[in-house]
Amino acid sequence: MKTRNALVALGGGPSPVINASLFGVVDGCARTMESGGTLFAALHGVEGILTERFADLYAEDPAELSKLRHTPASGAIGTCRYKLQPDAQEDFSRIVDVLHAHDIGTFFYIGGNDSMDTAHKVEQLARSQGYDLTVMGIPKTIDNDLGDEARTLIDHTPGYGSVARYWAMLMQDVEEENRGMCVSEPVSVVQAMGRKSGFITAAARLADPERQTPMLLLFAESHTPMERVFDAVDDRLRRFGRCKIVVNEGFETGEDIGARVDGFGHTEYGASEISVAQQLVNALNRRGMPARGTATGQLPGVLQRATSVCRSPIDVEEAVQVARHAVEQAFLGVSGQMATILRDESAPAYRAYFDTVPLDVIANSERFLPPTWIAPDGMDVTDDFVAYARPLIGDAMSAIPLVNGLQDFARLRLQAVEARCPTYVPMNFRTS
């Protein structure tokens, strides 16, 4: 019996290891689909399904596909932030029509909270229409905000370990800069991504787990009043003559940032009229500080989710393995689930294992930095957080092949698959 085709798509923001999961799907399907069938990629996520833009990944050069393991961000096949609205029946019907036209029997969706919701909705609709479709979600988000705070659904998400390492290394660099320039620029403010969840901000503590340098972490979850922030900065300046601050992009200073929203309806801080970091810098400089010089601010922005050199080798390997697990489960007949990463708490050292959780449980889940991992003053993390996050960044640098001194990333041809359905304009793109 001929194996039906499979489809993989990416959803939401990129991560440094999202293509490692894509490689895991490619590799897993190549091992499993032995009696025929192919693996298509939907270009730019669910938008590619709606507009029927597919590429045959089995037509790609295997050498290029292997480079996906070390290629960051989402440039290989593209992603999107297209949210399927609950009443968008035309979009849902279109998706099933396109999948049916290309004989898609298995759908893998790599993404975060909203992407798992999309995968769940597609699986439900296919089932209601009697279409035989296996749907498996594969987790991805640098924010680490997918799941529950007790970590029973997922311990951590692929992408977080690499971004945690990025911040640990970045703050090592900021420490050297701040030490050298403190006589004129005593306060260095750096803004971390994560919306209202402070896991990325917390990762900055990994740069100095012994707390030997003056550093403050400002979490959205703490709701720390600005006056307390001012007092804490003044204290560090009097004691050390300098201070580093990592502020969560969702931290509230009491001023309007002119926020915009993305396609999923989330606040898009990178598109705001003014950053939280700049607000904090302005407030410190207006108020005055007990030290000569000024506060300065930096905004790494999307670089933290697209930088390859800081990828954690643990993160890369887990991104591949969780995707392979999704493929294995799908071809065992499991559907309506997301592959997940859990931690063996009984092991003497860090050890992850893989399982599945229902899409309807994980879809649109959201977690925040647990209160027990935030220090009593609200401006640092506890040692328990350090113990949780430290293994995720690994102990070695990830290998990155170079050609002529430049990183050798995957460059897929993405030869278009012939369309079989009428031209369609997604509902969110219609002007009338």
Side-chain angles (χ1 to χ4, degrees), residues 16 62-72 308-309 311 316 397-411:
E64 291 300 314
L65 290 173
S66 69
K67 296 177 186 177
L68 289 170
R69 287 186 69 118
H70 58 259
T71 301
S308 62
V309 294
R311 290 177 314 132
V316 173
M397 297 297 289
S398 291
I400 302 177
L402 301 179
V403 174
N404 296 324
L406 299 176
Q407 301 170 88
D408 188 18
F409 293 153
R411 285 294 174 262

Side-chain angles (χ1 to χ4, degrees), residues 26 55 67 89 220 224 240 252 269 297 304 316 377 390 405 422 427:
V26 173
K67 296 177 186 177
Q89 190 57 45
T224 306
F240 302 98
E252 296 181 2
Y269 291 96
Q304 58 204 275
V316 173
D377 69 356
R390 172 60 187 87
M427 294 183 68

Side-chain angles (χ1 to χ4, degrees), residues 223-236:
H223 305 288
T224 306
M226 286 294 286
E227 282 304 320
R228 285 190 54 214
V229 174
F230 293 149
D231 291 344
V233 171
D234 289 352
D235 172 71
R236 271 60 175 184

Side-chain angles (χ1 to χ4, degrees), residues 192 194-198 201 218-221 246-251 276:
R195 297 195 181 100
K196 293 289 186 178
S197 183
T201 303
L218 304 182
F219 309 106
E221 293 94 334
V246 181
V247 59
N248 193 160
E249 66 181 356
F251 181 80
V276 172

Side-chain angles (χ1 to χ4, degrees), residues 146-333:
L146 180 68
D148 57 333
E149 290 183 9
R151 295 180 288 128
T152 59
L153 299 176
I154 189 167
D155 182 79
H156 57 279
T157 51
Y160 178 64
S162 294
V163 170
R165 171 181 268 199
Y166 174 95
W167 275 94
M169 291 183 167
L170 176 66
M171 293 313 294
Q172 283 187 291
D173 294 338
V174 171
E175 165 64 12
E176 298 306 306
E177 167 73 14
N178 186 238
R179 285 172 60 194
M181 292 296 295
C182 61
V183 292
S184 58
E185 299 169 12
V187 179
S188 182
V189 180
V190 193
Q191 180 175 310
M193 296 179 76
R195 297 195 181 100
K196 293 289 186 178
S197 183
F199 280 97
I200 296 178
T201 303
R205 175 48 65 195
L206 299 178
D208 178 24
E210 303 301 325
R211 298 172 176 80
Q212 296 179 342
T213 65
M215 179 164 64
L216 299 175
L217 307 179
L218 304 182
F219 309 106
E221 293 94 334
S222 295
H223 305 288
T224 306
M226 286 294 286
E227 282 304 320
R228 285 190 54 214
V229 174
F230 293 149
D231 291 344
V233 171
D234 289 352
D235 172 71
R236 271 60 175 184
L237 290 175
R238 292 190 181 100
R239 289 195 290 146
F240 302 98
R242 61 192 185 90
C243 181
K244 299 167 296 177
I245 303 173
V246 181
V247 59
N248 193 160
E249 66 181 356
F251 181 80
E252 296 181 2
T253 65
E255 299 182 32
D256 181 26
I257 61 172
R260 301 188 181 193
V261 296
D262 62 23
F264 285 142
H266 301 308
T267 299
E268 192 170 20
Y269 291 96
S272 300
E273 295 176 6
I274 185 171
S275 69
V276 172
Q278 191 60 58
Q279 285 188 344
L280 185 55
V281 167
N282 294 345
L284 287 167
N285 288 331
R286 282 195 304 264
R287 176 179 177 272
M289 300 175 292
R292 179 165 54 90
T294 57
T296 61
Q298 306 298 326
L299 191 68
V302 297
L303 297 178
Q304 58 204 275
R305 70 186 189 194
T307 299
S308 62
V309 294
C310 293
R311 290 177 314 132
S312 157
I314 298 293
D315 198 21
V316 173
E317 186 59 27
E318 289 181 349
V320 173
Q321 293 301 332
V322 74
R324 283 177 175 160
H325 184 72
V327 174
E328 291 169 2
Q329 293 299 301
F331 285 98
L332 287 174

Side-chain angles (χ1 to χ4, degrees), residues 404-422:
N404 296 324
L406 299 176
Q407 301 170 88
D408 188 18
F409 293 153
R411 285 294 174 262
L412 307 184
R413 293 182 301 136
L414 300 179
Q415 184 172 338
V417 173
E418 182 179 357
R420 299 179 180 178
C421 297

